[in-house]
Amino acid sequence: MNPKFLHNLSLSLIFLLGFSSIALGLGWLISPEPWLLNQSANEKLLENSFSEIFSAPINQNLHLYLTMLYRFLGWWMISIGVLVISYIIVTRMGTEMSRGFIHSILFILLVGTTVIEKKFISSSPFLILTILLWFLWFISLWSSIQLKKYDA
């Protein structure tokens, strides 16, 4: 296979992973009630509906706390995405070491995300996104391994 094609495939799929992280983070930042983006999975985990939870007098300011948590998560996801894209731009993933580092780091992040989703929010629609991200990561890893044949 053409080494330029393999390199561009490896690089562009990791770029899409970074962009997905930014898009997800922006969703949590923009949404007025970000906990509702995953409402059914969250309510299943809590074994209660949000309307019941918010109706209790002790929880009258809970929405403020949840908003703050999701905003923090949104900024965290944006930061990860920007760092991944910045790494790709700076290194161009031109060496075996640069490709190995980014694939290893993303592997750890994807494993952690998958474990949390499977354990706590297995009915979440975000699980489909995670599976898609695994697919992008795997194809990028495969093309990077194929590219080793051409590294000098």
Side-chain angles (χ1 to χ4, degrees):
M1 207 175 263
N2 182 344
K4 186 171 182 151
F5 173 76
L6 289 169
H7 178 263
N8 289 338
L9 182 63
S10 179
L11 184 140
S12 59
L13 294 176
I14 297 298
F15 179 86
L16 283 175
L17 273 160
F19 182 77
S20 298
S21 179
I22 292 170
L24 190 59
L26 283 173
W28 282 322
L29 282 179
I30 293 170
S31 176
E33 295 178 322
W35 58 90
L36 294 181
L37 295 174
N38 202 17
Q39 182 176 1
S40 63
N42 285 337
E43 288 179 343
K44 186 177 178 183
L45 175 66
L46 296 169
E47 298 178 352
N48 223 334
S49 73
F50 281 117
S51 58
E52 289 177 40
I53 292 170
F54 290 136
S55 67
I58 195 166
N59 294 334
Q60 68 184 13
N61 292 321
L62 181 60
H63 69 284
L64 298 173
Y65 179 71
L66 289 174
T67 300
M68 184 269 310
L69 284 177
Y70 275 93
R71 298 290 187 255
F72 178 80
L73 179 60
W75 279 115
W76 190 252
M77 294 299 294
I78 290 170
S79 299
I80 290 171
V82 168
L83 286 170
V84 166
I85 291 172
S86 297
Y87 182 83
I88 289 171
I89 290 170
V90 170
T91 66
R92 297 277 184 208
M93 291 178 58
T95 65
E96 185 179 337
M97 182 186 286
S98 65
R99 293 187 300 270
F101 274 121
I102 196 69
H103 285 115
S104 299
I105 291 165
L106 290 174
F107 176 78
I108 292 166
L109 290 173
L110 285 170
V111 166
T113 301
T114 304
V115 167
I116 289 170
E117 286 177 340
K118 288 281 193 181
K119 185 173 181 177
F120 295 108
I121 52 173
S122 59
S123 63
S124 172
F126 291 119
L127 192 54
I128 295 167
L129 175 63
T130 303
I131 291 168
L132 176 63
L133 295 177
W134 270 112
F135 180 73
L136 294 175
W137 177 86
F138 181 76
I139 298 298
S140 177
L141 179 67
W142 174 83
S143 63
S144 183
I145 290 169
Q146 297 304 308
L147 196 54
K148 283 184 185 180
K149 297 173 188 174
Y150 302 98
D151 285 337

